[in-house]
Amino acid sequence: MSRSDFLPELVLATRQGQLYLASRALWLGWPLLRWLTLLSALPFVGWLNGWAFLLWLAAAIAGKVWATLCQRNHFTHFAPHADSPLPAPQPLTHKTALYASGLLQVGQKVQHFAFLPGFYRTFATREHALLCQVRPRPIWRIARWPEDEVGLWYAFWTASQLTAVTPGQIDNGQQRLPALAITYCPAAPPDSRQPAATTLYLAFLNEEARSNVLADLLVDWPPTMEPTR
């Protein structure tokens, strides 16, 4: 694989990963998760006043709450490593392939994504960037990714926007990948309030790639701040 190639799609074998796919993949214009919720109610249509329907309603609400909580973590299970040694600051001169989870943007559109293949890079201005790719693909052979999301999505931040950088691991259900959790405050659009801090989860193929990105982030980390460990 060359440095210009995006990584292949990563199999999401965790329950959070399966929920993410079900909530995003479309069949006949609706997400699969909505279809599953509606179809699960069919046996209780004639029981509108019965306990069975109340139990279904409680389960549906619990499922919605769980999905909301999972979305807050971008459907990713990140385990921090408090004792991870920090590398010496060192600028990174090339792009680094990774999988990104978090809020990404293109134009005025903002969306939650999990395990998108992408690249980390730093410009000459020391602005950091993620460039990620959404590919058109079938999901479980019956659904497809929304066509209006296919393409490239981005995140940008500077050292002054960072509030935490945490080494750790991400478990996708099949393997544990070295990872970083990067929390930053996005730039506020003109004439609007400062957006809330958001966290990006970056998963790498090996320890060297994670160490290189972390070392690059530490080059211009504000001297009054310490990276979270």
Side-chain angles (χ1 to χ4, degrees):
M1 184 186 73
S2 72
R3 287 179 177 171
S4 62
D5 292 334
F6 285 92
L7 296 173
E9 296 292 341
L10 197 63
V11 176
L12 303 182
T14 63
R15 285 180 294 177
Q16 291 187 33
Q18 297 293 297
L19 176 64
Y20 167 66
L21 294 177
S23 66
R24 303 305 317 287
L26 301 181
W27 183 63
L28 299 181
W30 279 8
L32 287 177
L33 187 61
R34 185 181 300 178
W35 282 110
L36 292 173
T37 302
L38 291 176
L39 291 175
S40 67
L42 291 180
F44 308 116
V45 169
W47 295 54
L48 294 182
N49 296 316
W51 285 104
F53 176 75
L54 294 178
L55 290 174
W56 172 85
L57 184 61
I61 293 174
K64 178 63 175 179
V65 171
W66 180 53
T68 301
L69 293 175
C70 288
Q71 182 171 277
R72 290 181 181 178
N73 294 324
H74 308 299
F75 303 93
T76 302
H77 178 66
F78 175 82
H81 285 175
D83 58 346
S84 296
L86 296 182
Q90 179 68 36
L92 188 60
T93 58
H94 57 78
K95 296 188 298 184
T96 300
L98 47 73
Y99 294 101
S101 302
L103 280 176
L104 300 174
Q105 184 172 357
V106 58
Q108 299 302 312
K109 296 192 296 183
V110 179
Q111 186 58 262
H112 290 270
F113 291 104
F115 290 100
L116 272 193
F119 289 100
Y120 167 92
R121 67 165 299 181
T122 298
F123 298 104
T125 58
R126 293 303 299 167
E127 182 182 34
H128 309 293
L130 287 181
L131 166 66
C132 300
Q133 184 184 54
V134 176
R135 301 179 178 118
R137 69 186 196 275
I139 307 296
W140 298 318
R141 298 184 180 181
I142 62 171
R144 298 194 66 85
W145 207 261
E147 291 185 5
D148 62 345
E149 293 181 4
V150 172
L152 300 179
W153 292 74
Y154 308 89
F156 300 93
W157 70 92
T158 62
S160 62
Q161 293 173 278
L162 283 173
T163 61
V165 180
T166 309
Q169 285 187 334
I170 285 178
D171 187 352
N172 75 323
Q174 293 189 329
Q175 58 184 319
R176 294 181 179 179
L177 298 173
L180 291 174
I182 297 175
T183 303
Y184 74 104
C185 294
D191 302 322
S192 66
R193 292 183 298 176
Q194 176 65 41
T198 186
T199 300
L200 295 166
Y201 297 99
L202 312 183
F204 303 89
L205 294 184
N206 51 59
E207 295 282 354
E208 180 183 5
R210 178 181 66 176
S211 182
N212 288 341
V213 170
L214 181 54
D216 181 70
L217 290 170
L218 296 180
V219 167
D220 44 8
W221 188 271
T224 58
M225 302 174 65
E226 291 294 334
T228 300
R229 299 181 56 176

